[in-house]
Amino acid sequence: MSAEPTNPDIAIDAEFDSGNIEIIRIEGATAHLAIPADHRSEFRQWFHFRVTGAGGRELVLKIGDLGTSAYPEGWPGYRACVSEDRDFWGRAETTYDKAENGGTLTIRHTPASDVAWFAYFAPYSMERHHDLVAEAAASDGVSYRHLGRTLDGQPIDCLEMGEGTVQVWLYARQHPGESMAEWWMEGAIECLTDPADPVARALRQKCRFHVVPNMNPDGSRRGHLRTNAVGTNLNREWHEPTPEKSPEVLAVRTAMDATGVDFAMDVHGDEAIPAVFLAGFEGIPSWTDALGEKFYRFERILARRTPDFQTAKGYPKSKPGTANLSMSTNQLAERFGACSMTLEMPFKDNDDLPDPDQGWSPERSKMLARDCLASLLEWLDDKDA
């Protein structure tokens, strides 16, 4: 009888909801890996895979050729997410060497058990999405709307609540790999459906909420970073969405046309900037200082309410008349005169308030959602100021 090998090879799997990795080779507890691109697209950044057989051994996971990934500036200072129970997601020891094999991310971790999961950010599965929708739809005062179907045939879910006249649209995961956006949505929905929450009670008196927790179910399930089933970046489709390329945007924009939009927040994650920030709609053709001040006032309120938000870091503002109307925030401000905005959370950490164990996390994403809603309430109460 032959003896068991003393250092057997680990096994790596990614054939599951949002899984994405390519195995180059495995040598004991060391693996050389690559990130496949989104289907019919060149975007490469999201990874999510399971490692088995490494309990008590140091894993060395090398993901190469990242200099040509979608956002190579996202790798310096980044630490990979790791979990052994798929509930708590911490951060693994991670380094990036742009000179090694076209840019290599090296992840080192010694799991206590034989099963460990690694991801670009803590995943938000479609099963959890359906649990979120089901629980919210069963809450008092919440109605469910089926806005349409994706190209893979998945539903585009919308939750509605509130008796007020202010039309508020909250939507997330146009870019499916930005899973922190749906963790934010979970926090927002838990707040809005809590009958004991005074912020929620006051907001539901003033507003009618339309909440789309996941605008890109196909990309989410397929393990894409940025696109849907046919490689379309949904946040470049808002000027003229089509059933063939972007039925998700077409369904949501059509529903918005029916209700109007007074306030909108498009929830995202940013690969490179280690901070939470907002992007507005500067540069739209119909820009007025009065409309812009509505956005800037919300920004000031949020900065005062939570140290997790700041205004020093962010995207450059568009010059007058140069706004890209294919992006939702610009399109909604132009189309409806809405106070619209894009919320960005980091894949890395919030460098102004770092967390050595988790970096930016699902828990902080959820807490930020309540701060955003409390800021909205203050913004509404002070709208004539």
Side-chain angles (χ1 to χ4, degrees):
M1 179 180 288
S2 61
E4 288 290 323
T6 56
N7 291 299
D9 289 347
I10 58 175
I12 296 178
D13 304 282
E15 292 301 320
F16 44 76
D17 184 346
S18 81
N20 193 49
I21 203 67
E22 178 185 351
I23 302 168
I24 307 301
R25 67 182 185 276
I26 296 175
E27 301 158 341
T30 297
H32 296 265
L33 309 167
I35 298 177
D38 294 1
H39 180 59
R40 293 173 62 176
S41 167
E42 295 181 356
F43 288 110
R44 294 187 305 116
Q45 197 101 359
W46 171 263
F47 63 87
H48 179 201
F49 56 90
R50 185 186 74 161
V51 179
T52 56
R57 290 198 286 168
E58 184 186 47
L59 286 167
V60 181
L61 307 170
K62 288 182 170 288
I63 306 176
D65 193 28
L66 295 181
T68 59
S69 62
Y71 301 99
E73 69 277 12
W75 303 117
Y78 166 79
R79 292 182 296 147
C81 295
V82 60
S83 179
E84 293 183 40
D85 61 6
R86 299 211 299 167
D87 181 25
F88 176 85
W89 287 84
R91 298 280 178 154
E93 178 189 340
T94 309
T95 57
Y96 180 67
D97 184 348
K98 67 179 182 180
E100 181 184 352
N101 190 25
T104 295
L105 192 77
T106 300
I107 305 166
R108 297 178 183 273
H109 181 70
T110 303
S113 69
D114 268 337
V115 184
W117 303 75
F118 295 85
Y120 189 34
F121 193 81
Y124 199 100
S125 71
M126 288 308 301
E127 284 302 307
R128 190 178 183 107
H129 165 86
H130 290 303
D131 289 343
L132 175 67
V133 170
E135 183 175 356
S139 301
D140 288 343
V142 179
S143 58
Y144 169 84
R145 287 185 66 191
H146 184 290
L147 298 184
R149 293 192 184 278
T150 67
L151 291 165
D152 282 346
Q154 295 192 79
I156 302 165
D157 298 321
C158 181
L159 299 161
E160 299 190 332
M161 63 204 80
E163 303 76 43
T165 59
V166 179
Q167 301 295 324
V168 176
W169 279 84
L170 308 175
Y171 54 105
R173 288 189 90 178
Q174 290 201 75
H175 299 148
E178 297 166 14
S179 53
M180 63 284 289
E182 196 157 5
W183 288 109
W184 185 99
M185 277 291 178
E186 183 174 296
I189 290 169
E190 286 178 353
C191 172
L192 288 171
T193 58
D194 182 353
D197 193 306
V199 168
R201 292 175 64 190
L203 281 172
R204 287 172 65 160
Q205 290 172 1
K206 296 173 180 290
C207 304
R208 181 65 173 172
F209 283 90
H210 313 269
V211 183
V212 183
N214 188 336
M215 277 198 61
N216 198 337
D218 293 353
S220 301
R221 182 171 285 167
R222 286 169 174 259
H224 287 187
L225 171 76
R226 202 164 172 85
T227 65
N228 70 0
V230 294
T232 302
N233 177 353
L234 297 185
N235 204 27
R236 298 298 184 273
E237 292 286 305
W238 284 76
H239 58 313
E240 47 185 24
T242 66
E244 296 77 21
K245 286 183 59 184
S246 49
E248 303 90 346
V249 175
L250 182 60
V252 173
R253 203 189 73 174
T254 299
M256 289 175 168
D257 283 342
T259 65
V261 182
D262 297 312
F263 181 96
M265 183 174 284
D266 179 17
V267 189
H268 285 258
D270 184 86
E271 291 80 5
I273 300 175
V276 179
F277 60 96
L278 287 169
F281 46 88
E282 291 87 357
I284 63 170
S286 62
W287 169 272
T288 65
D289 289 344
L291 181 59
E293 175 56 20
K294 291 182 179 181
F295 166 67
Y296 297 136
R297 186 161 51 82
F298 182 87
E299 202 176 37
R300 292 193 298 269
I301 293 169
L302 185 58
R304 190 177 70 249
R305 294 198 71 96
T306 173
D308 261 339
F309 180 76
Q310 55 77 60
T311 59
K313 305 167 193 169
Y315 299 145
K317 293 177 171 60
S318 296
K319 295 178 181 178
T322 66
N324 184 349
L325 296 182
S326 70
M327 300 172 69
S328 68
T329 288
N330 293 329
Q331 178 65 216
L332 299 185
E334 180 68 19
R335 193 180 191 89
F336 301 104
C339 180
S340 58
M341 61 197 71
T342 305
L343 175 68
E344 297 281 357
M345 293 171 281
F347 277 90
K348 298 179 181 179
D349 199 351
N350 179 351
D351 280 2
D352 293 333
L353 198 62
D355 180 343
D357 294 325
Q358 286 188 279
W360 190 255
S361 64
E363 293 81 0
R364 289 173 83 176
S365 302
K366 292 179 66 172
M367 287 188 286
L368 178 65
R370 193 181 188 282
D371 283 319
C372 288
L373 291 172
S375 297
L376 174 59
L377 180 59
E378 183 178 339
W379 183 84
L380 289 167
D381 286 343
D382 194 37
K383 64 183 179 180
D384 297 322

